[in-house]
Amino acid sequence: MLDIPLRVRVHVETLPAAQNDMGVCDAFEQYAPVGKPVAMNAPHPPKVAGIDSTVPAPAHTVAPVSVVSGTSPVTPPNPPCALLQDRLAGWVSDLTTLHELTERLVRTDALTDALTELLRAGSALVGARRGLVVLEPGDGLGPDTTIGLGLAHADLGHIETVPRSAMSYGRILDGLPGCDREIAQPDLFSEDGLDPRHREVAARLGYAASYALPLATDALGRVGAAVWLYDEPAEPSERQRHLVGLYARYAGEHLARLVEVERARTRMATMAEELLPSRLPRVAGVQLAVRHRTGPRGGGDWYDALPLPDAALGLAVGSVTGSGPSAVAAMGRLRASLRAYAVMEGEDPVAVLSDLELLLRLTEPARSATALFGYCEPALRKITLAGAGHCPPLLLGEGRAEFVETSVSAPLGMLACWEAPSVEMQAGLGETVLLYTDGLLHRTGDAIDRAFARLHAAAAGVPRVLRHDPDAVADHVLRTMLPDGLDAADSADDVVLLAARFD
């Protein structure tokens, strides 16, 4: 993971960490190539297994042994080869540590996880117990967030009350002169001119020193800043500073990549949401609620609720094959077309889907879609349904939870001519109809038959006190089907759950 050239091939026995008196920082400076040594003047240390004898001798190697006439040579207490082995072992130890920490960082694919791992690794490298990282890209396009290590949300709130210019991370993020590198404050309470609010917060939270580093890349510029807090007056050693500096440079590049991914996800989700209804209509006799989850790549699941003539209501859910911007755009075109067909001939759902199938086949022959359209008459509590390869609705009442049988049909765009009969369903007073996309079933990870069984059990298990509220019904079903945050987790499948309760 680290592109650090080595002029020395190391093949030494592992030495105790306590013997390491020189780390990567000192070693690289000591043994950096300074030109080819003169043959007559170049030192020639004894050959040691795995060590190139042309390596220049360290500056603080023990002095040569002087031999007094008539006496035997005196063996120094620390031969040069042993000292060199100790220092090479320090190199190996430092490189191994950095390799392990960067490996752990690169395995994170979520921005929050990467920031947390950065704080943990930096805390171990500089010897601090607590810290925070402020993500604030310099181009102002976000995302902006603050993550703490060993700090509660209330503690972060206290820190944010300190004037930004009085905090080391604030000076780094604002690009103040001389603040483009590390900022060490080894003893906050002995500093002259420390902001009174900063002094108060530091005393309240119990930290007495801090060490801050910028997080930046050549391509994106400033990404953020990380600060580690010491409980007592302290500061990292030169070796610790060099190690955490190497780690921070790599972490900045990784965070920049995750920032771009997060921005793409946000743009995709925003575009998908803008192509869907901004709010559900209010129609007498029926209450509506919807839950929509978009995958990280953007999918083609959609829904609609459209007031129609004669106090009717059109309900629709569907899914377009594929993912990404093209699928989202196709979803928007398909939904807009269905709205037009529903206004013209919504009382005949089969005709609506037939027109939609013809449009899809002519304009996007390489794409298929599933759809379910229902012509709802709230006063009669009746829905006329037509489906094209879509999942059947589920009817939830006081004494029943059952799937509505719809005719078996192919998805739109799969056959030369789509045709399927419609079905009518009658809902009772206070009953709720659930329309959903297959993403709700796929996100469970179960086989399709078991996923249907889980959906039936989740609907049947809605407490009676919640069944009067379609929002509560939708939330209960979603949490039961996708527990432990699976409804919000990254997944290739979108989820749509539309609930309509008849009053």
Side-chain angles (χ1 to χ4, degrees):
M1 300 302 299
L2 295 172
D3 187 14
I4 302 177
L6 294 180
R7 292 294 303 274
V8 181
R9 299 188 304 275
V10 182
H11 183 68
V12 296
E13 296 293 330
T14 304
L15 298 177
Q19 296 178 356
N20 178 20
D21 65 339
M22 184 177 187
V24 173
C25 179
D26 295 332
F28 282 174
E29 294 176 358
Q30 183 65 41
Y31 297 112
V34 294
K36 185 176 180 180
V38 180
M40 296 298 294
N41 298 329
H44 297 279
K47 290 185 178 293
V48 181
I51 300 180
D52 190 347
S53 60
T54 62
V55 176
H60 50 276
T61 302
V62 293
V65 180
S66 59
V67 180
V68 181
S69 176
T71 63
S72 301
V74 179
T75 303
N78 292 317
C81 62
L83 184 61
L84 182 59
Q85 284 184 335
D86 290 348
R87 290 167 181 168
L88 292 176
W91 286 11
V92 175
S93 175
D94 291 345
L95 291 173
T96 302
T97 299
L98 285 175
H99 177 75
E100 292 175 352
L101 293 178
T102 52
E103 280 287 332
R104 289 170 54 181
L105 179 66
V106 79
R107 285 195 292 267
T108 59
D109 54 4
L111 199 52
T112 302
D113 295 340
L115 293 173
T116 302
E117 179 59 34
L118 163 67
L119 282 176
R120 290 174 179 170
S123 177
L125 289 173
V126 303
R129 186 172 63 89
R130 293 177 291 175
L132 69 152
V133 58
V134 181
L135 186 71
E136 188 178 298
D139 56 11
L141 300 178
D144 298 344
T145 187
T146 301
I147 302 293
L149 175 67
L151 297 171
H153 289 293
D155 298 334
L156 293 176
H158 287 305
I159 292 176
E160 289 176 352
T161 62
V162 179
R164 185 180 173 98
S165 60
M167 298 297 295
S168 54
Y169 73 82
R171 297 197 292 272
I172 290 174
L173 294 177
D174 291 340
L176 298 182
C179 298
D180 57 341
R181 300 179 63 85
E182 62 182 8
I183 298 179
Q185 295 178 291
D187 191 351
L188 285 170
F189 297 107
S190 66
E191 285 190 8
D192 295 333
L194 183 67
D195 185 86
R197 180 56 184 168
H198 192 184
R199 184 185 302 274
E200 179 184 347
V201 170
R204 179 168 187 161
L205 300 185
Y207 66 88
S210 68
Y211 180 72
L213 276 177
L215 302 171
T217 67
D218 294 336
L220 193 60
R222 186 195 71 210
V223 178
V227 184
W228 290 277
L229 306 175
Y230 295 89
D231 296 339
E232 301 293 338
E235 64 178 319
S237 65
E238 287 297 325
R239 176 189 175 193
Q240 290 174 321
R241 293 186 184 198
H242 185 73
L243 291 176
V244 76
L246 290 174
Y247 181 81
R249 286 199 291 272
Y250 182 84
E253 297 289 345
H254 183 64
L255 289 176
R257 290 191 291 270
L258 293 182
V259 164
E260 292 298 334
V261 172
E262 186 65 25
R263 288 176 177 178
R265 291 179 178 179
T266 302
R267 288 192 294 265
M268 192 67 62
T270 301
M271 184 171 67
E273 292 296 334
E274 290 296 325
L275 291 174
L276 295 173
S278 57
R279 61 182 181 85
L280 295 174
R282 294 180 179 273
V283 179
V286 64
Q287 299 181 49
L288 300 174
V290 69
R291 297 295 180 268
H292 180 224
R293 302 290 185 268
T294 303
R297 292 178 295 178
D301 286 17
W302 53 276
Y303 66 92
D304 207 346
L306 176 66
L308 297 176
D310 301 326
L313 177 69
L315 299 175
V317 292
S319 177
V320 176
T321 56
S323 60
S326 62
V328 174
M331 174 267 288
R333 291 191 294 266
L334 205 66
R335 172 181 167 267
S337 301
L338 183 138
R339 291 174 70 92
Y341 299 145
V343 170
M344 292 186 295
E345 47 192 1
E347 67 279 359
D348 185 358
V350 172
V352 172
L353 293 188
S354 296
D355 294 340
L356 196 64
E357 195 275 339
L358 178 60
L359 176 72
L360 184 67
R361 184 154 44 88
L362 293 176
T363 59
E364 302 188 50
R367 197 179 298 277
S368 63
T370 65
L372 181 70
F373 178 73
Y375 180 77
C376 175
E377 300 173 84
L380 303 176
R381 296 192 297 276
K382 184 178 73 171
I383 301 179
T384 304
L385 291 166
H390 204 79
C391 305
L394 192 149
L395 182 61
L396 175 63
E398 288 294 330
R400 61 173 175 170
E402 58 188 36
F403 291 102
V404 179
E405 291 190 10
T406 56
S407 58
V408 179
S409 61
L412 303 176
M414 295 292 289
L415 300 177
C417 181
W418 177 88
E419 185 71 26
S422 62
V423 296
E424 289 187 1
M425 60 165 290
Q426 188 72 41
L429 184 63
E431 292 188 329
T432 301
V433 178
L434 298 177
L435 310 180
Y436 53 94
T437 59
D438 56 2
L440 179 63
L441 307 175
H442 292 161
R443 278 206 185 193
T444 63
D446 294 335
I448 195 65
D449 55 341
R450 295 190 59 185
F452 272 116
R454 287 183 60 174
L455 176 58
H456 183 274
V462 176
R464 295 186 181 277
V465 295
L466 301 179
R467 296 193 178 188
H468 68 281
D469 183 2
D471 281 291
V473 171
D475 286 335
H476 183 274
V477 171
L478 204 60
R479 287 195 304 266
T480 305
M481 286 286 290
L482 305 173
D484 303 325
L486 286 177
D487 62 323
D490 288 348
S491 172
D493 300 296
D494 287 7
V495 173
V496 167
L497 179 61
L498 178 63
R501 181 182 185 276
F502 291 94
D503 297 329

